[in-house]
Amino acid sequence: MPALELGGMTLGLREGVIGLIALVAAYMLFVLLRMLLLRNRPAASEKTVSVESIAESAETPAEGLAEADENWAQASEGLAGDALRSGLEQELAQMRDEVDAIRGELAALRDDMQHELAHLRAGQTVSPIYGDAMQMAVSGYDPAAIAERCGIARAEAELVVALAKSQER
């Protein structure tokens, strides 16, 4: 198995998978906290203004202009709130898609890890001689070399090589 020697510590595949799971969990926690903060934030009240209401309410042109400026300010605040809300909704949808993708990757990693664990457990229940023979077969040794090195019959070595090839498929 490939391993990385780092500062006196050996990091293998299992440690890498555990680290990846920890990173995914931290990211999901971060996203969850952001969503909770967004949900708890009060929604801004929307105020829409029509041109007819400005024209009807204005008694003099000066009053109409002042009121129109105020109404336009309120309308622009409403539009800014709408733009912010739609941007947040798009970001939330994107984050949900990313979380779903991460969940799928995590499920695939879990399946791979369970498969590897089952493979390792199967190898541990075999006698040491046949375990060594199996490792040699997986490494690509021919049956004659396996039989000579492990002290088993050539037919047994050929059987071990066939078993190793069938497990690779």
Side-chain angles (χ1 to χ4, degrees):
M1 283 185 72
L4 174 67
E5 186 71 28
L6 190 67
M9 292 176 35
T10 303
L11 301 176
L13 181 64
R14 179 176 39 181
E15 289 83 8
V17 169
I18 291 171
L20 182 63
I21 290 171
L23 284 173
V24 168
Y27 177 73
M28 289 175 62
L29 182 64
F30 173 72
V31 169
L32 180 65
L33 289 174
R34 284 187 64 191
M35 286 193 289
L36 286 174
L37 288 174
L38 285 175
R39 190 176 81 184
N40 292 339
R41 185 180 300 168
S45 62
E46 295 182 31
K47 295 183 181 180
T48 57
V49 179
S50 66
V51 175
E52 291 84 20
S53 66
I54 293 171
E56 290 173 2
S57 65
E59 295 178 6
T60 66
E63 286 179 7
L65 288 177
E67 196 172 312
D69 286 343
E70 183 180 314
N71 289 336
W72 280 111
Q74 290 175 355
S76 65
E77 287 176 9
L79 290 175
D82 290 342
L84 178 65
R85 185 177 304 108
S86 67
L88 290 174
E89 287 173 353
Q90 288 175 351
E91 185 177 347
L92 180 63
Q94 181 182 1
M95 285 185 174
R96 284 181 178 160
D97 292 341
E98 289 175 1
V99 167
D100 288 342
I102 290 172
R103 283 182 182 155
E105 291 173 8
L106 188 60
L109 284 173
R110 186 181 305 122
D111 290 342
D112 289 345
M113 191 171 67
Q114 287 175 351
H115 178 70
E116 286 290 324
L117 184 62
H119 186 66
L120 288 174
R121 284 184 183 156
Q124 291 175 351
T125 59
V126 177
S127 73
I129 293 174
Y130 289 107
D132 293 341
M134 188 65 144
Q135 287 179 348
M136 291 176 68
V138 169
S139 298
Y141 285 89
D142 63 331
I146 295 172
E148 183 180 320
R149 242 192 185 161
C150 295
I152 59 175
R154 184 178 170 102
E156 290 174 319
E158 289 175 355
L159 182 63
V160 168
V161 169
L163 183 62
K165 286 182 181 176
S166 71
Q167 283 184 352
E168 286 179 6
R169 286 187 231 135

